[in-house]
Amino acid sequence: MKLSVLDQSPILANTNPTQALEQTTELASTVDQLGFHRYWVSEHHSTNSLAGSAPEILAAHLAAHTENIRIGTGGVLLPHYSAYKVAESFRVLETLHPNRIDVGVGRAPGGMPNVNLALNRGKLPRVEDYPKQVEQLMAYLHGEDPAQMDVYATPQGETSPDVWMLGSSGTSARLAAELGTSYSFAHFINGHGGMGAMDRYKNNFAPSIQQSTPKGNVSVFAVCAETTEQAEYLASSLDLALLQIEQGGIRNNFPTPEEAINYPYSLFQQDRIQENRKRMIIGNPSTVKEEIESLADAYGVEEVIVNTIVYPFEERIRSYRLIAEAFNLV
């Protein structure tokens, strides 16, 4: 089974955005050496606690600082942009780093509602054009002229990046199947219905210019430590962060475990934490390995993407290292 990494470039407590991006670079280099398969970075706008607002730029930086791991976006929010321009950006990346680049795309706004207006010159994006955009993106990446304007995405070459459609619902699964892209389900966003969505994708897949058979993976929050008690302690900060995000709280940093443990949770908030735990895998190495394998079996995929957000940064590194050792990646 393949293990990969999703990094949202979190700004942890007592750090700043510069340090967050430095940590992203260090983490990418570390998991490359540990044997992880791919490394995706996300797109979030006007978000104080996440530093990744331009994943295509960050991907270029990370590809230059790693050797073997695939680098990509999780993902580019395509309704905000020109499919042609995105294709050219990733054709440059593919030319610099052949057979190592992924283009993960999604249609979410990437922030609060006004982000849509700021990114689209005061107008709302036409999300109904998203399927056509993905189709055009794939065509441009493979040297075609989908608009029939004698326009091609350059630089052209013998290899092309893989397009992955990101989603957390059956709608995205259906669209990925119709267009013939690879499909990644965000279990860390929606802990319900993912297995059905993946089945829908596989059962309705139509071959495309990119691939002849379906290919999927699933992403999940995971916290691994030497003991279950330590993992629970570290994961408490993620519990609090998700709760505050759901309640519209604005933070400049992710909280510490100490802050989370001392937080005065209401009964409702305690219930929400238990519900959110359905999006997480937490425990010692053997437990985490078993649950990751079970998740992969439930989704019928051969790749799981791990998203670990804990404080301090050294514990994020240790969590990934323990998972790599549990799976004998190194």
Side-chain angles (χ1 to χ4, degrees):
M1 192 177 75
K2 297 175 181 176
L3 290 179
S4 299
V5 175
L6 172 64
D7 183 5
Q8 296 175 289
S9 301
I11 303 173
L12 303 178
N14 305 312
T15 66
N16 57 44
T18 298
Q19 291 170 305
L21 293 181
E22 290 172 348
Q23 290 170 357
T24 284
T25 305
E26 182 178 344
L27 181 58
S29 177
T30 299
V31 297
D32 183 23
Q33 297 170 20
L34 289 175
F36 283 80
H37 179 58
R38 71 178 89 241
Y39 194 99
W40 284 355
V41 288
S42 60
E43 178 175 337
H44 293 274
H45 299 286
S46 191
T47 304
N48 293 343
S49 59
L50 300 172
S53 58
E56 68 283 5
I57 294 177
L58 191 50
H61 173 75
L62 297 177
H65 284 77
T66 53
E67 297 180 1
N68 300 306
I69 196 168
R70 293 189 67 89
I71 299 294
T73 54
V76 168
L77 305 178
L78 198 54
H80 297 313
Y81 312 115
S82 154
Y84 177 68
K85 179 57 181 174
V86 172
E88 288 209 315
S89 296
F90 282 86
R91 283 240 46 95
V92 170
L93 280 172
E94 180 69 17
T95 303
L96 290 170
H97 308 281
N99 294 313
R100 287 187 57 208
I101 302 300
D102 296 325
V103 190
V105 297
R107 60 180 175 182
M112 299 302 289
N114 283 345
V115 164
N116 280 320
L117 301 176
L119 286 170
N120 294 276
R121 293 178 291 180
K123 301 178 181 179
L124 292 175
R126 289 177 52 86
V127 294
E128 60 268 25
D129 293 338
Y130 178 63
K132 183 178 180 180
Q133 284 187 291
V134 176
E135 193 172 22
Q136 288 184 334
L137 174 63
M138 292 177 65
Y140 280 128
L141 288 172
H142 286 266
E144 294 189 348
D145 175 22
Q148 298 183 342
M149 296 189 300
D150 195 27
V151 172
Y152 300 88
T154 56
Q156 297 187 38
E158 297 181 356
T159 62
S160 298
D162 287 346
V163 175
W164 286 77
M165 184 168 292
L166 315 181
S168 57
S169 70
T171 301
S172 56
R174 175 188 54 78
L175 184 57
E178 290 177 356
L179 298 179
T181 72
S182 297
Y183 181 60
S184 181
F185 188 87
H187 189 90
F188 78 101
I189 293 176
N190 179 11
H192 301 279
M195 285 76 85
M198 190 62 70
D199 286 342
R200 177 182 295 185
Y201 164 69
K202 293 178 181 179
N203 294 335
N204 295 280
F205 181 83
S208 67
I209 190 175
Q210 173 172 289
Q211 62 198 75
S212 58
T213 58
K215 181 168 64 173
N217 63 35
V218 56
S219 53
V220 63
F221 284 122
V223 178
C224 187
E226 285 84 354
T227 67
T228 298
E229 292 76 16
Q230 177 68 2
E232 288 284 346
Y233 170 75
L234 294 172
S236 65
S237 62
L238 183 57
D239 289 331
L240 177 57
L242 293 178
L243 185 65
Q244 292 177 326
I245 290 170
E246 289 178 344
Q247 296 176 341
I250 299 176
R251 297 185 60 100
N252 292 323
N253 305 86
F254 277 78
T256 66
E258 290 80 4
E259 181 182 349
I261 289 173
N262 292 316
Y263 191 87
Y265 297 103
S266 67
L267 290 177
F268 170 79
Q269 290 172 326
Q270 293 175 20
D271 288 341
R272 282 305 307 164
I273 286 174
Q274 292 307 308
E275 181 67 21
N276 284 334
R277 283 295 183 100
K278 296 177 182 178
R279 303 190 264 159
M280 305 180 195
I281 292 175
I282 300 166
N284 60 45
S286 61
T287 298
V288 169
K289 180 177 186 291
E290 180 180 345
E291 293 193 20
I292 286 177
E293 290 174 336
S294 295
L295 185 70
D297 288 342
Y299 274 84
V301 298
E302 298 180 354
E303 179 185 3
V304 174
I305 301 179
V306 176
N307 182 4
T308 300
I309 303 177
V310 296
Y311 173 91
F313 174 66
E314 291 74 19
E315 294 293 347
R316 288 185 74 202
I317 292 280
R318 183 174 291 109
S319 180
Y320 283 112
R321 188 178 298 279
L322 290 172
I323 294 173
E325 291 172 352
F327 280 89
N328 295 315
L329 296 185
V330 290

